[in-house]
Amino acid sequence: MCHPMLFPLPFTELDWLSNPSFCVGNLTSLSQQTEEVTALASEGSPLTRSPLKSELSDESDPSKTLTQISRKKKKEKKKKRKHQHRKKAKRRHEQSSSGGSESDTDSGKDRSSRSLKDTQKESEKPSQGSNAVAVAAAAASGHHSIWLEDIQTLTEVFRTDKKPDPANWEYKSLYRGDIARYKRKGDSCLGINPKKQCISWEGASAAKKQSHKHLERYFTKKSVGLMRTEGIAVCSNPEPPSSETVTFIPVKDSADVATPVATWLNPLGIYDQSTTQWLQGQGPPEQESKQPDSQQDRESAVLKAKVEEFNRKVRENPRDTQLWMAFVAFQDEVMRGPGLYALEEGEQEKHRKSLKLLLEKKLAVLERAIESNPSSVDLKLAKLQLCAEFWEPSALAKEWQKLLFLHPNNTGLWQRYLSFCQSQFGTFSVSKLHGLYGKCLSTLSAVKDGSILSHPVLPGTEEAMFALLLQQCHFLRQAGHAEKVISLFQAMVDFTFFKPDSVKELPTKVQVEFFEPFWDSSEPRVGEKGARGWRAWMHQQERGGWVLVNPDEDEEEPEEDDQEIKDKTLPKWQIWLAVERSRDQRHWRPWRPDKTKKQTEEDCEDPERQVLFDDIGQSLIRLSSPALQFQLIEAFLQFLGVPSGFLPPASCLYLAMDESSVFDSELYDEKPLTYFNPSFSGISCVGYMEQLGCPRWTKGHSREGEEFVHNVFHLVLPLFSGKHKSQLCLSWLRYEVAKVIWCLHTKKKRLKSQGKNCKKLAKNLLKEPENRNNFCLWKQYAHLEWLLGNIEDARKVFDTALSMAGSSERKDRELCELSLLYAELEMELSPDSRGATTGRAVHVLTRLTESSPYGPYTGQVVATQVLKARKAYEHALQDCLGQTCASDPASTESLDCLGSLVRCFMLFQYLTVGIDAAVQIYGQVFAKLKGSVLPEGPGPEDSTSPQSLSSVLEAITLMHTSLLRFHMNISVYPLAPLRETLSEALKLYPGNQVLWRAYVQIQNKSHSANKTRRFFNIVTRSAKHLEPWLFAIEAEKMRKRLVDSVQRVGGREVHATIPETGLTHRIRALFENAIRSDKGSQCPLLWRMYLNFLVSLGNKERSKGVFYKALQSCPWAKVLYMDAMEYFPDELQEILDLMTEKELRVRLPLEELDLLLED
C-alpha cells in the first residue's frame, strides 16, 4: 500500500485519485475510464454519487467492473437528455401531462445544489494516496497532472464508505436520478379501495398545468375550426331484415364469430384472417381493398366518381351548355367536400377557405366550355359575372363591350350591361348612362328594322325594348330628372299614336329624323292645352302652317308662390330639404317658352327644366303590338300618380321600388272586404320624394299638374275602344276616388269640393253611350257615394245598375263583381247586427242566380229561395270547373266566370250557413286548381285585365283571407286556419304584397316568433322575389317596436315583459343577406330601410358606412342622398358636391339658398 499524500490536488477533476482504495491494476482500463469521466466533466455534467454498492467480492475483476460502470453512466445520461428534451417540447406545446413522480417538482434546484455540495465535500477532503513518491516527483517537477502509469501498485479498487449522506436529511425526497422514471396514468393507485381510500398527489405538475390552462370560447379560431370539421358518420353493415319481430337490438356474441383454423402460420388459432394474410405476404381481397376505410374516404370516392362522370359527359357532349353550367355549379360541392387534390395534410382547410381558388377553378371550366361553344351567350355571361369578383371595373367594362359587339341583338345582354353600368359608382354619371340607354334602344331598333344584316331579330325583342324604355324612365325619375321622363313619354305617345301615314313604312332612324322638327316647334304636346298630335301638325304644315288664335284674355295665369321659405329660423339643411321637395312637386313638367307672352328660351330661370330633342331622340322606339301600345299609356299614367294597376316588368320592378307604401295596411285593416287598393307597389310617381315612412296618399298635383293629367285623359281616350277604353275610364275615376279617400283621412275640409268633382266626372263618363252598360263604372260610382256617406243614394245606384242586366248576363264577370261589392258593403255597414243588412246582402246574392229581373230589397229572403240559389251556385261552379279543366288552355271567359262566381258563392255560404261552409268551398276549389298553378306565380294584377288560372286562384285566396279576417273581427275564431291559408298561398305567390301584409300582421300578435322565422327562412331560400326579404325585415322591426314600447315607458328603462334578445343583430343580418342578391343590391327601398334602421339605433359611423356602401350599388337614387342629408346634417356640402359630380338633379344650389336666406 502506498502512503497517502498530505496536500490537496488543485483540480477537482482528479479528486478520485485521493481515494486510498485505488490500487495498481489494469492501467489501460483505468486510463480509458478516466478519459471518459474527464470528457463528461468538461461537457458540464454534474458529478453525482456512484450508485455502486461496496459489497463487491474480492474475486471481481476491476477492469470489467469499471467498464460496466462507465456504460451504465452513459446510458443514464442519455436517458436524462432525452427526458429533458421531451419535457421542453411538452412545455412548448402546452400539453399537460397526466402525472409524474413526486420527485420531479424540484428538479433543477435539487440537481444544482447537490452537485455543488458534492464538489465542495470532495475538494475539502485531505489528499490521501498510496503513491507518495510519484506524486511528490510530479509536484517537484512542477507538473499539474498525475498519470496512472506512474502509479505502480494498486491492489484494491473499491472501498466501503460508511459515512452517511446528509442530503437525505436535508431534502424531502431522494435524488431523482436514483429513482426509476415512471408516468402516472390517472389519479388512482392500484391495490386500494376507491370507496374508502384515496391518494392526494400534492405538488403534481398536472394540477399546476391545468390551473394555468385557459378555457377557449366558441368564437376563437381553434373552436371555429373544430365546428367547421365534418362529423364522422356512424354506420353499420346492413343486414337483411328478418321476418320475425324483434323487440330489442341483439348484440353479437363472441361465439357467433367464426374461430380461425389452426395452421402452421397460426398454431394457436389467435390470429384473424387479415393478420394471417399479412404473415403470408398477401393483401386483402379486391372487393375489400376497394372499400374506403373512413367516411371521408367514402365521400372522396363519391366526389371523384362525380368528377369523372362530368368529365366524361362534357367530352361526349361538348355542345351541351346546360351540362357545362352544371359542371361549374358542381365546383362548389367539390370545394366543400374532402380534398380530392390536397397535396399535404392541412391543405384541405386551406382549399375550403380559398374563394379565389374556387373562382379560378370555375373560370377554367368556363373557358373550356366557351372554347367548345364560342357562340353561347349564357356561358360568356357566366364568365363575366364570375370575373366581376376579382377583375377591375375598367377591364370588366371592356369585356362587356366586346360581348355586346358580338351580340348586339341580344336584349337580355343589354339589360344586364345597363344594370352593371348603373351600379358602378366610380364610372357612373347620369349623362353617360342616359346615353348608354339611347345607344341600346337605337341599336335594337336598327336590328328590328333589318338595318344590321349580320344579326337577326330574336323572339320577344319588342317586349324587351319596351321594358328597357321603362327602366330608363324609372332611372331618370329616381335621379330627379322628372322633366326628361315626361318629355320622353310625350314623344313616345306622339311617335306611336299620331304618326303620319307617309312615314310609317320608313326605318325607325328616318322616322326619328322626321319627328325632330315637330318636337322643336312650338306645337302643344301631350298633356298641354290644345295638343293635336304629330299627324295633325304635319298635315297643317303641308297646307301652310297654323293660324294663331289669341288666347282668352279672361284666363288667369296661376301665380307661383314666391314665399318658398316659410321659416328662416330652421336649420339650413331643413330649409334646403323643404324647398327641394317643394320644387320637385311643382316643377316636374318640362318648361317651354310661351309665344303668346313673347317668352324665349333665355327667360327660363333653370335651364335644366328645358328638354332638348337630343335628350330623347335616341330612345324613341316603334311599338306595333296593340297590347304594348296600351301598356305605354298605362305606364305614363302610373308615372303621373294615377292608380292604373300597371306594374313594371320583372326586370326593372325592384330597380323602381323606392318608397315604403308596400307596408301600408291602414285601409285593409279598417275594411278587409271592401278596402281600396291603389296598387302602388312601392313605386313613387314624379314629383314625390318624401322621407321614408310617410303614408302614401293620392292627393293629386298642383293646379297645373291636375290640368296636365286631365288633358292626357282627354287626348288618349278616343284612341281606344272596348275593354281598353273602359279600363282607362275606370283608372280616371279611381284616381279621383283615391283623392276623396285622402280627404276623408287627412283634410276633411276639402272633402265636399273633391266629392262634388268626383261625382261630376262619374256622371259624365256614364253619360257616354259606350259606358251606359259598363258595370265597372257603375260599381265605382256607387262605391263613391257609399264612401261619402250617402248610403241610400249608393243603394239606388246599385239597384239601377243591377236592374239593367238581362237574364243572359247573369254569368257576366262584371255583374258578379258589382253584386259582390254591394253585398260586402252591406255586411260591413253594421257587422254586429245580423238583421236587415245581412238580409240585404243575401237578397243581392240570391237574385244574382235567378233569371227574373232584379228587384229592390223588400224583406227577408224565403228559405226556399236560399236553397234554390245554393243549388244554382253549385251547378254553376261545377260547370265552370269542368270547362276550365277541360279546355287547355282555358278560355278567358271561363276563367273570368270562375273567379267571380267562386267569391260570390263563398260569401253566400258564409251569410247563410257559416264560415266553415265558405272555408269548405275554398278548399274544394284550391285543391282542384293547385296542381295547374306553377309556384311563384305572377304578382297581383288589376281586376279588369285578362286573367290567367294563377291570377284567378290568387284572387280567390285574397277573398278567402279577407273573409276570415272579417269574421275574426266580429266573432271568436281560431287563428290557425288563416295562418295555414296564408302560408300555403304565399308559397305559390311570394310576390303578393297584400298577402304578406296580412301574414305579418297576424303573426305579430303571436308571442313566439319561431314559426314566422322558419317560414320566412323557407320562402327566402326558394323564392326569387324580394318581397319575402322586405316583409321578413318588417316583421322583425314590428316586434322590436313592440319590445321597445314595453321596455321603455316614459323614456325610462323597465324590466322586459317579453324576453326577446338579439333582435337588432337579427334585423341587421336580414338586411345583409337581402343585399347580397342582385335584385336586393340594386333596390333603393331596401337601402333606405337599412340606413333608416341603423340611424334609429344611434350608430352614426356605421350608418355613414352603409350610406356609402349603398351609393356603390345605387348611385342614381336621389332619395338616398336626401335621406343622408336628414340623417347627417353636417355633411350637407359634401353630399351636394357628390350629387353635382354624378349629375343628379339639384333644383336648389347652396348659393341660391344663401341668397334666399339673405333676402
Side-chain angles (χ1 to χ4, degrees), residues 487-556:
S487 298
L488 186 54
F489 272 112
Q490 287 176 324
M492 277 299 301
V493 171
D494 266 317
F495 196 75
T496 303
F497 296 100
F498 299 100
K499 188 180 298 182
D501 298 333
S502 57
V503 299
K504 283 185 177 180
E505 302 301 327
L506 298 176
T508 305
K509 185 177 180 181
V510 181
Q511 293 182 12
V512 171
E513 293 175 355
F514 274 101
F515 184 73
E516 184 175 1
F518 165 73
W519 185 263
D520 292 336
S521 67
S522 58
E523 175 66 16
R525 300 170 186 166
V526 178
E528 299 175 2
K529 189 176 181 179
R532 297 176 178 87
W534 180 21
R535 186 189 300 115
W537 178 85
M538 182 77 80
H539 290 323
Q540 193 62 34
Q541 287 294 317
E542 293 173 356
R543 296 174 185 175
W546 295 108
V547 178
L548 289 177
V549 180
N550 293 327
D552 298 335
E553 299 295 338
D554 298 335
E555 184 180 356
E556 295 181 0

Side-chain angles (χ1 to χ4, degrees), residues 63 217 219 306 319 331 337 340 342-343 489 564 574 637 717 819 885-886 949 1042 1101 1111 1148:
S63 64
R217 297 296 301 277
F219 51 78
K306 287 184 178 180
R319 300 290 182 184
Q331 301 306 313
L340 288 176
L343 302 177
F489 272 112
E564 288 186 319
Q574 289 187 7
L637 296 175
L717 275 175
S819 303
C885 298
L949 190 61
L1042 177 62
E1101 292 302 321
L1111 293 188
L1148 180 64

Side-chain angles (χ1 to χ4, degrees), residues 1012-1142:
T1012 311
R1013 288 167 180 167
R1014 282 197 298 268
F1015 179 72
F1016 274 117
N1017 189 28
I1018 292 172
V1019 179
T1020 51
R1021 285 184 177 182
S1022 59
K1024 299 178 182 179
H1025 295 73
L1026 196 60
E1027 281 85 359
W1029 288 108
L1030 294 173
F1031 283 92
I1033 294 167
E1034 183 65 17
E1036 297 294 343
K1037 287 171 70 175
M1038 290 171 67
R1039 179 167 290 273
K1040 186 176 186 303
R1041 285 195 292 267
L1042 177 62
V1043 173
D1044 290 345
S1045 65
V1046 173
Q1047 292 180 350
R1048 294 169 178 83
V1049 180
R1052 53 191 176 84
E1053 298 279 342
V1054 297
H1055 293 291
T1057 58
I1058 302 179
E1060 189 75 60
T1061 57
L1063 274 175
T1064 301
H1065 302 295
R1066 181 181 293 276
I1067 296 172
R1068 188 182 294 123
L1070 284 172
F1071 274 118
E1072 289 293 337
N1073 289 328
I1075 62 179
R1076 284 176 188 166
S1077 62
D1078 293 337
K1079 293 179 179 178
S1081 63
Q1082 293 187 344
C1083 178
L1085 173 61
L1086 188 61
W1087 286 108
R1088 293 185 74 186
M1089 292 170 59
Y1090 194 9
L1091 184 60
N1092 178 267
F1093 172 72
L1094 291 181
V1095 169
S1096 67
L1097 298 179
N1099 194 335
K1100 189 175 180 181
E1101 292 302 321
R1102 178 167 287 185
S1103 304
K1104 281 187 179 179
V1106 169
F1107 165 64
Y1108 288 111
K1109 187 178 177 181
L1111 293 188
Q1112 298 291 330
S1113 300
C1114 304
W1116 72 89
K1118 184 180 177 181
V1119 285
L1120 281 174
Y1121 297 86
M1122 298 182 75
D1123 287 346
M1125 288 181 188
E1126 190 173 351
Y1127 301 146
F1128 320 117
D1130 301 336
E1131 310 291 336
L1132 176 63
Q1133 183 64 53
E1134 180 182 349
I1135 295 173
L1136 276 176
D1137 293 342
L1138 202 57
M1139 292 175 68
T1140 307
E1141 177 187 349
K1142 298 302 175 185

Side-chain angles (χ1 to χ4, degrees), residues 798-1073:
F798 275 119
D799 293 340
T800 304
L802 289 173
S803 62
M804 291 190 303
S807 58
S808 61
E809 296 178 349
R810 290 299 172 185
K811 290 186 178 182
D812 184 67
R813 171 177 174 264
E814 295 179 357
L815 182 62
C816 292
E817 296 286 344
L818 179 65
S819 303
L820 182 64
L821 179 62
Y822 192 6
E824 289 172 343
L825 289 172
E826 291 289 355
M827 285 176 58
E828 290 181 344
L829 186 60
S830 54
D832 296 334
S833 63
R834 308 287 291 179
T837 55
T838 306
R840 286 181 177 272
V842 174
H843 169 75
V844 172
L845 295 174
T846 303
R847 296 303 297 267
L848 181 63
T849 60
E850 297 177 358
S851 58
S852 59
Y854 178 83
Y857 176 73
T858 55
Q860 197 71 22
V861 183
V862 184
T864 56
Q865 294 179 339
V866 174
L867 185 59
K868 289 180 180 179
R870 184 178 295 116
K871 292 294 182 182
Y873 274 121
E874 289 176 355
H875 289 303
L877 178 60
Q878 294 300 326
D879 293 342
C880 287
L881 285 176
Q883 291 178 8
T884 303
C885 298
S887 58
D888 188 22
S891 62
T892 306
E893 292 77 10
S894 61
L895 289 175
D896 291 346
C897 173
L898 176 63
S900 303
L901 186 66
V902 169
R903 288 186 288 164
C904 290
F905 191 20
M906 288 172 60
L907 189 60
F908 177 80
Q909 289 290 84
Y910 173 70
L911 291 172
T912 56
V913 181
I915 185 65
D916 294 334
V919 172
Q920 185 179 0
I921 296 298
Y922 170 75
Q924 177 185 352
V925 176
F926 188 81
K928 190 80 171 177
L929 300 181
K930 183 181 177 181
S932 304
V933 177
L934 295 176
E936 300 188 19
E941 299 177 356
D942 189 73
S943 59
T944 57
S945 60
Q947 297 184 333
S948 62
L949 190 61
S950 175
S951 59
V952 167
L953 186 57
E954 189 173 4
I956 296 172
T957 306
L958 284 173
M959 174 66 188
H960 180 55
T961 55
S962 301
L963 195 60
L964 286 175
R965 293 196 67 181
F966 172 78
H967 182 69
M968 291 170 61
N969 290 338
I970 64 174
S971 61
V972 178
Y973 192 72
L975 196 61
L978 178 57
R979 184 185 291 118
E980 293 174 1
T981 301
L982 288 171
S983 301
E984 288 292 327
L986 285 170
K987 290 178 182 178
L988 288 176
Y989 310 105
N992 191 306
Q993 298 172 4
V994 179
L995 292 176
W996 278 119
R997 282 197 290 266
Y999 181 79
V1000 168
Q1001 190 162 8
I1002 65 166
Q1003 291 297 94
N1004 190 45
K1005 299 176 182 178
S1006 175
H1007 177 69
S1008 175
N1010 293 331
K1011 288 184 178 179
T1012 311
R1013 288 167 180 167
R1014 282 197 298 268
F1015 179 72
F1016 274 117
N1017 189 28
I1018 292 172
V1019 179
T1020 51
R1021 285 184 177 182
S1022 59
K1024 299 178 182 179
H1025 295 73
L1026 196 60
E1027 281 85 359
W1029 288 108
L1030 294 173
F1031 283 92
I1033 294 167
E1034 183 65 17
E1036 297 294 343
K1037 287 171 70 175
M1038 290 171 67
R1039 179 167 290 273
K1040 186 176 186 303
R1041 285 195 292 267
L1042 177 62
V1043 173
D1044 290 345
S1045 65
V1046 173
Q1047 292 180 350
R1048 294 169 178 83
V1049 180
R1052 53 191 176 84
E1053 298 279 342
V1054 297
H1055 293 291
T1057 58
I1058 302 179
E1060 189 75 60
T1061 57
L1063 274 175
T1064 301
H1065 302 295
R1066 181 181 293 276
I1067 296 172
R1068 188 182 294 123
L1070 284 172
F1071 274 118
E1072 289 293 337
N1073 289 328

Side-chain angles (χ1 to χ4, degrees), residues 649-940:
S651 59
C652 62
L653 174 62
Y654 301 113
L655 285 169
M657 198 178 285
D658 54 4
E659 52 98 11
S660 60
S661 64
V662 291
F663 307 118
D664 295 341
S665 60
E666 181 180 354
L667 299 177
Y668 185 54
D669 300 336
E670 291 178 358
K671 297 180 179 180
L673 289 174
T674 61
Y675 77 101
F676 179 81
N677 183 20
S679 65
F680 291 130
S681 303
I683 301 171
S684 60
C685 61
V686 291
Y688 183 88
M689 286 199 177
E690 298 296 331
Q691 61 184 2
L692 192 70
C694 287
R696 173 77 184 277
W697 298 102
T698 305
K699 50 189 175 182
H701 301 282
S702 59
R703 180 179 173 183
E704 300 88 348
E706 288 300 307
E707 290 180 358
F708 186 90
V709 174
H710 292 173
N711 291 333
V712 170
F713 273 111
H714 287 302
L715 183 67
V716 300
L717 275 175
L719 301 175
F720 298 96
S721 61
K723 288 187 176 180
H724 286 166
K725 185 172 184 179
S726 172
Q727 190 170 344
L728 287 177
C729 294
L730 181 63
S731 299
W732 192 359
L733 192 54
R734 283 166 58 90
Y735 176 60
E736 299 296 331
V737 171
K739 290 191 285 185
V740 170
I741 294 176
W742 169 67
C743 294
L744 279 171
H745 287 81
T746 55
K747 288 192 175 182
K748 295 190 176 181
K749 294 181 179 179
R750 295 178 52 183
L751 179 60
K752 187 176 180 179
S753 61
Q754 183 61 41
K756 184 178 179 181
N757 296 333
C758 191
K759 287 195 290 184
K760 182 180 179 181
L761 173 65
K763 291 177 180 179
N764 290 334
L765 290 175
L766 286 171
K767 284 179 182 178
E768 297 183 6
E770 60 268 21
N771 291 333
R772 287 177 183 174
N773 292 330
N774 191 336
F775 292 115
C776 290
L777 291 180
W778 281 103
K779 180 184 74 170
Q780 203 66 52
Y781 177 39
H783 195 191
L784 171 64
E785 292 285 3
W786 200 286
L787 289 172
L788 293 174
N790 307 324
I791 305 298
E792 292 301 326
D793 294 341
R795 285 172 177 167
K796 291 179 181 178
V797 175
F798 275 119
D799 293 340
T800 304
L802 289 173
S803 62
M804 291 190 303
S807 58
S808 61
E809 296 178 349
R810 290 299 172 185
K811 290 186 178 182
D812 184 67
R813 171 177 174 264
E814 295 179 357
L815 182 62
C816 292
E817 296 286 344
L818 179 65
S819 303
L820 182 64
L821 179 62
Y822 192 6
E824 289 172 343
L825 289 172
E826 291 289 355
M827 285 176 58
E828 290 181 344
L829 186 60
S830 54
D832 296 334
S833 63
R834 308 287 291 179
T837 55
T838 306
R840 286 181 177 272
V842 174
H843 169 75
V844 172
L845 295 174
T846 303
R847 296 303 297 267
L848 181 63
T849 60
E850 297 177 358
S851 58
S852 59
Y854 178 83
Y857 176 73
T858 55
Q860 197 71 22
V861 183
V862 184
T864 56
Q865 294 179 339
V866 174
L867 185 59
K868 289 180 180 179
R870 184 178 295 116
K871 292 294 182 182
Y873 274 121
E874 289 176 355
H875 289 303
L877 178 60
Q878 294 300 326
D879 293 342
C880 287
L881 285 176
Q883 291 178 8
T884 303
C885 298
S887 58
D888 188 22
S891 62
T892 306
E893 292 77 10
S894 61
L895 289 175
D896 291 346
C897 173
L898 176 63
S900 303
L901 186 66
V902 169
R903 288 186 288 164
C904 290
F905 191 20
M906 288 172 60
L907 189 60
F908 177 80
Q909 289 290 84
Y910 173 70
L911 291 172
T912 56
V913 181
I915 185 65
D916 294 334
V919 172
Q920 185 179 0
I921 296 298
Y922 170 75
Q924 177 185 352
V925 176
F926 188 81
K928 190 80 171 177
L929 300 181
K930 183 181 177 181
S932 304
V933 177
L934 295 176
E936 300 188 19

Side-chain angles (χ1 to χ4, degrees), residues 7-20:
F7 56 91
L9 289 175
F11 295 99
T12 60
E13 288 84 352
L14 302 177
D15 285 345
W16 59 274
L17 291 175
S18 63
N19 194 336

